[in-house]
Amino acid sequence: MEYNKEVEENSAHTEGFRFHPTDRELMKYLILFVISKPFSKLVPIVLEDLYTIEPWDIFKGKKDRALYFFTELKKKKTGNTRYVRSVGEGSWKSQDKGKAVCSEKGSILGYKRSLRYQNPGLPLHDGQWLMKEYSICDDVKKHLRQRFHEYNKEHYVLCRVKRKIGKDEDGIAPKETIIDEEINDIIGSNDAADTLAIDINRPFHG
């Protein structure tokens, strides 16, 4: 089942659309994913191995402040409870013990944990990438095993990754002037702009 097709043309990549799910909603998406249940293509959560790619490479060519992924955690050793957190020369370090995410009726669905990318050898990126990791709790996993024999995504989690920025919303100082390239990014090619101008100035004949 593919969860990452057509996302580039939908949802968060559509101007004006904002994907702001609650913790509970993200847990529900994760549960649907691990039992291979489909959900809307407008949901911009893609499948990616976050422990084989540096965080800044994930954001190449994207304007989003935050991206969402399903990823599989891999244990350091068979039978070990600890997972591999290293990626490249850096690693994702836990910042807390995790916070419970509950259903509408108060039952624990899973946990949300905060992580930060650390790489002292790269000051530009060290501590500048943040992750929220959502994992399903053991009791819910037990119910899923009993009800869905095809359940085979035991170690998958849902992650929200974003870059830490300064006080400015976009992290960019405001400028009084704008260049043509930026205008073209907004309105498209010059041909499109010329066509629009012609249409606007064309005399109206009733």
Side-chain angles (χ1 to χ4, degrees):
M1 185 172 185
E2 295 291 340
Y3 282 82
N4 58 350
K5 287 184 177 179
E6 302 182 22
V7 170
E8 293 293 332
E9 298 154 7
N10 288 319
S11 61
H13 303 277
T14 300
E15 201 73 31
F17 182 93
R18 299 293 182 270
F19 184 63
H20 287 309
T22 63
D23 292 340
R24 181 182 299 155
E25 288 166 341
L26 287 172
M27 284 302 311
K28 290 180 179 179
Y29 284 131
L30 178 57
I31 291 172
L32 289 174
F33 170 75
V34 300
I35 60 174
S36 300
K37 290 286 186 180
F39 45 79
S40 173
K41 289 180 180 178
L42 292 178
V43 176
I45 309 176
V46 300
L47 185 61
E48 182 66 76
D49 188 344
L50 296 181
Y51 293 95
T52 61
I53 182 171
E54 301 281 13
W56 54 91
D57 287 329
I58 298 171
F59 280 77
K60 277 184 179 178
K62 297 182 175 63
K63 298 180 181 179
D64 306 76
R65 287 272 303 277
L67 295 173
Y68 296 81
F69 305 95
F70 296 117
T71 196
E72 183 179 15
L73 298 181
K74 301 175 180 68
K75 290 187 176 182
K76 289 188 173 183
K77 294 181 181 178
T78 304
N80 197 324
T81 58
R82 298 183 65 187
Y83 294 105
V84 174
R85 294 293 183 178
S86 59
V87 52
E89 297 298 320
S91 62
W92 288 99
K93 298 290 185 182
S94 294
Q95 303 298 300
D96 55 32
K97 293 183 179 180
K99 176 183 177 182
V101 179
C102 299
S103 69
E104 291 86 345
K105 295 183 178 181
S107 302
I108 295 177
L109 298 174
Y111 297 91
K112 177 179 72 171
R113 175 182 293 181
S114 299
L115 301 98
R116 184 189 300 270
Y117 177 82
Q118 294 186 0
N119 187 340
L122 289 176
L124 180 64
H125 296 290
D126 184 37
Q128 298 305 304
W129 298 92
L130 308 174
M131 179 191 290
K132 295 293 184 184
E133 179 187 274
Y134 297 82
S135 58
I136 300 171
C137 71
D138 290 339
D139 192 52
V140 172
K141 286 182 178 179
K142 181 179 72 174
H143 282 276
L144 296 179
R145 287 190 214 101
Q146 292 171 349
R147 295 188 57 184
F148 301 94
H149 298 298
E150 68 277 15
Y151 172 58
N152 60 356
K153 297 184 177 74
E154 184 81 13
H155 303 296
Y156 277 84
V157 294
L158 192 161
C159 299
R160 177 181 185 268
V161 182
K162 72 172 185 177
R163 178 161 191 167
K164 182 181 177 182
I165 62 172
K167 294 181 180 179
D168 229 311
E169 182 181 355
D170 296 318
I172 302 173
K175 298 181 294 184
E176 293 291 340
T177 58
I178 189 168
I179 60 176
D180 287 342
E181 184 180 350
E182 290 182 87
I183 295 292
N184 290 339
D185 286 342
I186 297 170
I187 65 174
S189 67
N190 287 333
D191 292 340
D194 292 341
T195 301
L196 180 61
I198 292 170
D199 288 341
I200 290 173
N201 295 308
R202 181 180 300 162
F204 175 76
H205 298 287

